[in-house]
Amino acid sequence: MIPKSVHKERMEENLSIWDFALDEEDMKKITALDQGVPSMLDTRKVSEVKRVYDYLNNPVLTSL
């Protein structure tokens, strides 16, 4: 995300987001989120690739 503002105060707020640190527990929680497979689109599955390429012909629109 690229923040945009023309107001000095907002620009300063946007730049002051780096005042935190992740500790070991935070990093473990983030690492635990990785399930080892794509969560949106698994391109290793032929059926998923076909679904994406065929979505316009599908009468029921599904989200990717």
Side-chain angles (χ1 to χ4, degrees):
M1 182 170 107
I2 301 173
K4 175 201 144 312
S5 182
V6 294
H7 304 285
K8 181 182 181 216
E9 297 80 18
R10 294 294 303 218
M11 286 187 236
E12 290 171 353
E13 285 177 9
N14 290 337
L15 291 173
S16 68
I17 64 167
W18 305 110
D19 61 347
F20 69 93
L22 299 174
D23 61 19
E24 187 72 27
E25 184 178 340
D26 293 328
M27 293 302 292
K28 285 180 182 177
K29 289 178 181 178
I30 292 170
T31 300
L33 295 172
D34 183 8
Q35 298 178 358
V37 295
S39 60
M40 293 282 292
L41 175 63
D42 190 348
T43 57
R44 299 171 295 178
K45 293 183 179 178
V46 174
S47 62
E48 283 291 290
V49 176
K50 286 181 179 178
R51 181 178 65 88
V52 170
Y53 280 103
D54 196 41
Y55 81 97
L56 290 175
N57 299 324
N58 190 344
V60 178
L61 291 178
T62 58
S63 64
L64 297 176

